[in-house]
Each structure stands twice: as C-alpha cells, then as structure tokens.
Amino acid sequence: MYLLRYAPAYIYEYEAFYEALMDLEGSTSFLRIFSIGSGSGLDYYGAYRAIKKKGLPPDFLYYSGIDVIDWYYRTTLNNHRYYFYKQDVTRLYSLPDRFINVLFFPKSISEFSNESFSRLLEVICNTAFSREQINICASVRRSRLEDDYKRLVKIVECLLLKGDYTLDLTHNSLEDNVQGESIFYPEDIFHFLSNLRDYCPAYRRRICRGERDCDTLNRKPMKDTGYRQYWIIRLVRKERN
C-alpha cells in the first residue's frame, strides 16, 4: 500500500533530481550511483526515467542500492549494472564501491539516529573514492530541511578534511524552479486507498490496537509533486603537483 500511495510522486521527484544532476554534469560519460537507504529502488526508477528522457543508452547508468530490508517489489529493469546490498551500511568498514560519482540519500538521511549517523560518517570517510568528482546528494524533507542539510554538510566536511577533494559547487531544487505536477489516480483506486480502514477486520470489529494505527490506514495517495526538495554538493579532486 505504501508504494501505491507514494511511488508515483517519489519517482517523479527523483526523475527531476537526476535530470538536474545530469544538466550540471555536462559531458560526464555515465552515472555511477550509490544509494544509501534505497528501499524498493524508487530513486533508481527515477534515474532510469531521466536517462531515457534525455535519449541516453541504458549502459549510461550504474546503480548500487543498500538497505537493511530487501523489498519484495523491486526490479532491475533488465539493467545488468544494477546491484543491491541487503546490509546495514553502518556495520561496514567502507562503502563497497569506491568508483561512484554520485552518493545519494533518497530521504534516508533523516532516518539515521545520531549514533548511527556517526558510524555512517566513519564508513564514508574510510572509503578511498577514486573518481575525479563526487556528487554528495540528498532528497530532503521540508519538515527537516535544516537538519537534513546539516547532515549532508557533515559528510562533505569529512571528505574535505581528508585532503583529496575540494568544494566545487552547491545546488538545490529552489534554483531549478521545478514546478509541481498533478498525478492521476483512477477515482475508484484513489477512493479505495483513501479508505482502507473500512476494509480492516480489526477496525470493523473494534479490536484494533488504537486510533493512531487506524488513522494511518486512511492516508490519501500523493497527487502533487510540488513538495520536492533536494541538495547537490559537488567535490572535485585536487590537482596533483
């Protein structure tokens, strides 16, 4: 039900993000993405749609996602350069792909506790990145915009302290002036998803665990993409003397 309610809006959001990233990239020959907290891979579908929209070949896209949950509804879209790691990223020593040029957090940067985020910083800092540039990116929540951005900056500061890279640019969704789009749901499906409580046997028998659980069943699907927010911070490798 989560995907039926939110997947279309999130995929549109991630598509817009990756389009903006590619516009900034210019002549980059490929995207090599590592997505932390990738879930069912909605950001992957957004990236896939973005490269198709720009007329680029499928082999333009390398994608690795990591999550503690292996979602049942996940597909590679027949891309042999798609990888998924069912792991807790904070238990690693370093990221499993040092060749990435995009490190992305699809709303997941908010989900880490302070302790887990500290461990995540160590994992990222232990990674010997080898690309000439790295884009540190996050799709952030309006309700936690400042906190999410601060965490993104901490990651960047950690990498800058290592001395291999320097700050090149920062970019956010406000600069793109992205307009919201309406998402169409057939009326019967929208009504069904908005009234799931009526189909819950526990609710109908008045034996549910509490009103809060019941209320979440009646959340409406997202029909607008205008809420999207993202940040891009690019680092470039220092010239060697």
Side-chain angles (χ1 to χ4, degrees):
M1 292 305 176
Y2 175 88
L3 293 179
L4 287 173
R5 282 178 170 144
Y6 304 122
Y10 284 166
I11 290 171
Y12 271 112
E13 176 183 356
Y14 298 140
E15 180 183 351
F17 159 72
Y18 280 114
E19 282 189 76
L21 179 63
M22 286 188 283
D23 288 342
L24 290 171
E25 285 285 314
S27 60
T28 298
S29 57
F30 62 88
L31 290 179
R32 189 162 183 142
I33 302 162
F34 195 88
S35 176
I36 294 181
S38 60
S40 61
L42 297 183
D43 67 301
Y44 169 65
Y45 308 142
Y48 190 88
R49 285 171 58 92
I51 66 168
K52 287 190 69 175
K53 196 172 181 179
K54 289 187 172 292
L56 297 167
D59 60 3
F60 184 86
L61 177 61
Y62 291 74
Y63 179 92
S64 296
I66 190 167
D67 205 299
V68 293
I69 299 173
D70 186 2
W71 286 56
Y72 180 76
Y73 297 104
R74 186 168 51 78
T75 175
T76 67
L77 298 175
N78 297 317
N79 181 1
H80 68 281
R81 291 175 170 176
Y82 174 99
Y83 304 93
F84 177 75
Y85 301 90
K86 184 180 182 297
Q87 288 179 284
D88 181 348
V89 67
T90 66
R91 294 181 179 275
L92 302 177
Y93 173 76
S94 61
L95 297 180
D97 187 354
R98 65 187 183 89
F99 298 101
I100 64 174
N101 55 18
V102 181
L103 180 63
F104 185 52
F105 294 86
K107 300 195 188 308
S108 55
I109 201 167
S110 300
E111 306 300 325
F112 291 93
S113 67
N114 290 334
E115 181 182 354
S116 293
F117 182 71
S118 295
R119 291 201 297 267
L120 175 64
L121 273 178
E122 293 180 13
V123 173
I124 294 173
C125 289
N126 288 337
T127 305
F129 295 102
S130 64
R131 306 303 304 176
E132 291 302 308
Q133 64 181 41
I134 310 172
N135 296 283
I136 314 297
C137 316
S139 172
V140 296
R141 304 176 194 270
R142 284 185 176 178
S143 60
R144 300 194 59 176
L145 185 61
E146 185 175 348
D147 291 338
D148 288 358
Y149 181 64
K150 284 180 179 178
R151 285 191 164 185
L152 204 62
V153 168
K154 284 184 178 179
I155 293 171
V156 170
E157 290 175 343
C158 172
L159 294 176
L160 292 177
L161 283 173
K162 293 178 67 176
D164 297 328
Y165 290 90
T166 185
L167 182 65
D168 183 46
L169 65 82
T170 61
H171 183 85
N172 65 63
S173 49
L174 297 178
E175 297 173 55
D176 294 331
N177 192 28
V178 175
Q179 302 299 313
E181 301 176 46
S182 296
I183 297 173
F184 172 75
Y185 281 86
E187 189 59 36
D188 58 333
I189 293 177
F190 184 82
H191 182 269
F192 176 80
L193 292 173
S194 303
N195 295 278
L196 287 177
R197 187 172 60 189
D198 297 341
Y199 302 94
C200 173
Y203 174 76
R204 293 165 68 176
R205 293 167 57 194
R206 306 298 187 207
I207 58 172
C208 57
R209 290 179 296 175
E211 280 189 27
R212 185 172 182 181
D213 287 338
C214 293
D215 289 343
T216 60
L217 289 173
N218 274 16
R219 287 179 178 169
K220 290 179 169 54
M222 285 187 179
K223 297 183 73 174
D224 180 26
T225 65
Y227 62 88
R228 67 189 80 176
Q229 299 274 343
Y230 51 78
W231 281 92
I232 301 169
I233 303 178
R234 174 178 297 161
L235 307 180
V236 295
R237 187 175 294 279
K238 290 181 178 179
E239 293 185 8
R240 296 180 177 84
N241 295 327

